Amino acid sequence: INPLIPNEMIGDQVKIRQVMINLLNDALMEIEDGFVILRVDYKQVKDEVLLNIDIMDNNYNKDDMKKGNYYICKELCECMNGTISTINDYARGSGFTVTLPQKIAPGSIAYEEAIWKK
């Protein structure tokens, strides 16, 4: 998780948590031997943050999108004006990228800054 992500954003944390849990559960259930990676990053555009969540594993068969969790996550992302896309790379693995716009809360600082202010 990028420590420079603002510590307070205005968005739907319940839906974001549900998307992450659903996608991580799918990744962990399908994996027998290998890896699961969760990466959270952001891109700031004025007073908005594009929150990027990548969930990767070494299962290379994400083409079958008949899983209920994917469609649930797609609906949740669209409700939050975000997107979900698949990643299929035989060198790196496969998974999902979720991009969600979030407003930065007034007075919010990056996690790294908050640690040094204590």
Side-chain angles (χ1 to χ4, degrees), residues 26 30 57-67 86-90 93-96:
D26 277 354
E30 294 178 5
D57 61 46
N58 67 334
N59 177 9
Y60 301 110
N61 189 14
K62 294 288 187 226
D63 292 328
D64 181 17
M65 290 299 141
K66 296 180 180 174
K67 298 176 189 165
T86 59
I87 303 166
N88 281 306
D89 183 339
Y90 288 103
S94 64
F96 299 97

Side-chain angles (χ1 to χ4, degrees), residues 37-72:
I37 297 170
L38 168 66
R39 181 176 33 235
V40 182
D41 206 351
Y42 77 107
K43 180 179 180 183
Q44 188 167 340
V45 181
K46 297 183 183 177
D47 66 338
E48 188 174 81
V49 166
L50 292 176
L51 191 62
N52 295 313
I53 302 166
D54 294 323
I55 297 173
M56 301 280 297
D57 61 46
N58 67 334
N59 177 9
Y60 301 110
N61 189 14
K62 294 288 187 226
D63 292 328
D64 181 17
M65 290 299 141
K66 296 180 180 174
K67 298 176 189 165
N69 273 344
Y70 172 78
Y71 288 112
I72 290 169

Side-chain angles (χ1 to χ4, degrees), residues 1-112:
I1 297 175
N2 185 338
L4 299 177
I5 293 174
N7 66 339
E8 291 185 36
M9 294 177 279
I10 300 170
D12 193 331
Q13 68 178 348
V14 173
K15 286 183 181 132
I16 294 171
R17 184 178 297 131
Q18 188 63 52
V19 167
M20 289 176 64
I21 288 170
N22 285 359
L23 295 177
L24 282 168
N25 276 340
D26 277 354
L28 291 170
M29 276 190 223
E30 294 178 5
I31 197 160
E32 292 178 17
D33 185 28
F35 63 85
V36 174
I37 297 170
L38 168 66
R39 181 176 33 235
V40 182
D41 206 351
Y42 77 107
K43 180 179 180 183
Q44 188 167 340
V45 181
K46 297 183 183 177
D47 66 338
E48 188 174 81
V49 166
L50 292 176
L51 191 62
N52 295 313
I53 302 166
D54 294 323
I55 297 173
M56 301 280 297
D57 61 46
N58 67 334
N59 177 9
Y60 301 110
N61 189 14
K62 294 288 187 226
D63 292 328
D64 181 17
M65 290 299 141
K66 296 180 180 174
K67 298 176 189 165
N69 273 344
Y70 172 78
Y71 288 112
I72 290 169
C73 292
K74 185 174 179 355
E75 291 293 322
L76 290 171
C77 288
E78 288 173 358
C79 286
M80 296 182 284
N81 297 317
T83 61
I84 183 171
S85 59
T86 59
I87 303 166
N88 281 306
D89 183 339
Y90 288 103
R92 297 183 313 150
S94 64
F96 299 97
T97 294
V98 174
T99 302
L100 300 168
Q102 304 287 296
K103 292 286 185 190
I104 300 173
S108 178
I109 59 173
Y111 175 76
E112 187 174 84

